[in-house]
Amino acid sequence: MKNIAFSAAVVAGVCSGALANEDVLKLQADPANNVMPSITYNGWNFSQLDQITLDNVNKLRVDWTFQIGVADEAQAPPLVVGDTMYIATPKPNRIYALDLSDAGAIKWEFRADSSNLSEVTPLACCGAQTRGINYAEGKLFFQSLGGKVYSLDAETGALLWEKQATDIKAAETMVGNGIVIKDLYIAGMAGGEYGARGYVVAFDINTGEEKWRYYSMGPNKDVGIGPRFKPFYKFDQIENPAEASWFEDSWKHGGGTNWGYFTYDPELNMFYHSTGNCGPWNPDYRRPWGELDLDANGVLQSYRSNYCASILARDATTGELIWAYNVTPQDQWDLDEPNINPLVDLEINGVKHKALVRAARNGYFYVLDRTTGELLNDPWPFVHQNIIKGIDKATGSPMYNIDTMLFTNAEDRLKYTQAGALTEKDKAIAAEEAELYGEDAGDAPSGTEAVICPTIAARNWENDAYSPSTGLLYTSVQFGCRSMRMTEGQYVYPMTAEGYKLFEWTGEKFWVDRDGNKTDVKNQLQANDPVTGKTVWSIDYVQPSQDPIMATATDILFVGGDDKGAFRAINAKTGEVVWEFRTGNNTSVSPVTYMHDGKQYIAVIASARPGVLPVAADAAPDAVNRYQREGSTLYVFALGE
């Protein structure tokens, strides 16, 4: 297996383009611009600009700064088109146009409707993110947390159209991921923690008319399954695969939301998106209560909850589903898969493949044929994994470890495994606490607890970078483990802030290395080779540092360092840190690079959510929390003398 040589057009994600948006194709082919998150349709987050090199990167200096004015965690990469940079803030979702000819002077500002924020914010899982804006044909497209989709005149900031896309009473929010393909703006939504049913929705970029909306699960017509649906594996080659794989009507609140980035292949006219966790977390609500259907190898045979925690390939014009791959069937560990699917062409055993590479949130590294959904590699774990024993190539399915499968009731679990079985001493303690505290005796062992590695995520939504120069995929990964168990509850409408997760933690988080040994290392920046299946280099962080990554043609990675409030340049071939600037804050947004008046610039927003990591009065002078404090500033760097 090897990487296929890339032309400049392929690097830019440009192929035939017959069905793509011609303006976007033209703009993304010029590396001076950034017209979408992750830079190009192929999702590489790779820039061809080459003025800043490993030899001169240490001459980078701050050229100008801009105070965002919203003291929250910025996650949307700036766009740059011509002389203008566009910034999207977290809620209350403001858009700024900055003049690159005048050191970032404000051209205009647009404020989204924030009248429902008090209702929306409690139902927005995990913060108030917006992850991007898109540009095409002189227009900007973005979403508000409250679920409105906007189109603005990019020159003046004038509102062209707006549409309410979500039902907030069902906890549906929008976090700013979208893509422009031909005359459609395709968007995703969030809310899987609260029983929302995931979908993608397409709007006419000129009128705002909704053209189609397809769900992640449910009847065929709702999901976009028709004659063109040709899944590769047998578990998906059944009638009504996105409905029959659920218990009764549990698909109606099945999660599988779409809050990560999209990629697009213009030649195939197919776009790729991935879906979030299954809802609720408790799998007993999605299968016959307390029953589990694994074969001798640990492959799940039924109630696979298609298609949450999955990869989906759709026709970019009609939205029809072409193929789907369930990454973590019957997900019950919040191993949702919202992150991006970079599109890379690889040669495997002498045959060229249009591949899709994925460092998945379940901790396995996948290479799939993006035309069919077939696995091309033997997926391998890039972190310690105790849920999945391996991937069965015949079915494309994970082989589960029965000891980490979750049940609500201990007697149900004991039908399949003795893991977690209570001792007589445990039973005595539980009985005593139940007598003393009644229903509040929640801390006593129940016999349903299981230690899960990775807990929630081996990586999160942050942009990967792929470099055609090194052939490596760069990913921020996490090493955490934790014990959890399932609880009972009921979906309600309108949804409340109490949510519909139906689980609880039963121990403190801890960290293990790939061999399962406890470690102080919490995160790594990994450079993984999709061809050889090996980690070429990695950087350890003993404090959190899980940041989006951008690569350049001069073999430099630009990435934040939350461990010490730094912004860094790293040698993409070796992992050596070659330049560092202390912003004094997190960098949860991908850096971008652009060209203006013949000069290359690097831009990044340093920011943090308010109150996430308070600083104790007696904290050490170099405590990491001191560098993760509320605030948000755009830094723009250029080469000095």
Side-chain angles (χ1 to χ4, degrees), residues 233-236 299 301 304 325 375 392-398:
Y233 293 104
K234 69 172 187 179
F235 286 121
D236 305 295
V299 173
Q301 301 296 301
R304 293 166 62 88
Y325 178 80
L375 282 174
D392 175 41
K393 289 293 291 289
T395 62
S397 293

Side-chain angles (χ1 to χ4, degrees), residues 190-212:
E193 312 296 351
Y194 301 94
R197 177 186 171 207
Y199 56 81
V200 288
V201 57
F203 299 91
D204 185 297
I205 62 172
N206 296 307
T207 66
E209 178 187 1
E210 182 176 321
K211 306 301 287 188
W212 48 257

Side-chain angles (χ1 to χ4, degrees), residues 453-498:
C453 303
T455 183
I456 293 184
R459 54 83 47 82
N460 209 327
W461 63 271
E462 293 87 5
N463 314 61
D464 291 340
Y466 174 79
S467 168
S469 172
T470 64
L472 301 176
L473 184 73
Y474 303 94
T475 306
S476 293
V477 308
Q478 307 172 28
F479 282 176
C481 301
R482 198 169 183 183
S483 176
M484 63 189 299
R485 64 185 172 201
M486 297 296 102
T487 60
E488 297 185 51
Q490 187 172 5
Y491 178 80
V492 297
Y493 182 92
M495 178 46 65
T496 67
E498 282 69 36

